[in-house]
Amino acid sequence: MALDPQEGLNASRQASARRAAMLLRLYQLADMDGRQCLPTLIKACQCDTAMLAMRVWRVDQAVFGTGRTAALRHVRLAAQWCGHDLESPGKATVGWLLDERTGGARLAAWLYAIALDNGFRPSGPNPYHAHANRAAAVPSTHHTSQRNTP
């Protein structure tokens, strides 16, 4: 059975329209009660897989009012902090951001990048500091448990 190209085109257009409507809804929610934006987006992704194709930088703009350059920087930083090298941060999708194999690491890193840009300053060490520096700062139990015996 051959697929009708017109049906595929119509489905693609409908999915694009639903994504555009979701971005508009997120923009409106951000003005009213911003705390509902991400839960609304995640629920929409569970019900409609077309939402997973939304670009992360566009969600950043709709929810946080970020400019394009800053939104792309947030995606790039989140990817770097999670050990990924994205060729084009502008192509990162919500599906990439919410990939369950990361255990929420990409979402957390993206939100952290946004928070830092908005003036949040954590107390304590940077949680995304290089692993090599962390290993050098923590003494191994082998060296600390030995006793000096004559």
Side-chain angles (χ1 to χ4, degrees), residues 49-91:
T49 57
M51 297 299 139
L52 295 171
M54 266 193 291
R55 303 291 187 204
V56 177
W57 70 271
R58 291 197 180 269
V59 173
D60 196 334
Q61 285 185 316
V63 175
F64 301 104
T66 312
R68 186 172 197 266
T69 302
L72 291 172
R73 182 177 57 248
H74 297 156
V75 175
R76 184 178 38 76
L77 285 172
Q80 285 176 350
W81 290 338
C82 292
H84 301 283
D85 184 27
L86 292 178
E87 283 184 33
S88 176
K91 292 183 179 180

Side-chain angles (χ1 to χ4, degrees), residues 1 81 108 134:
M1 177 197 243
W81 290 338
R134 257 191 265 154

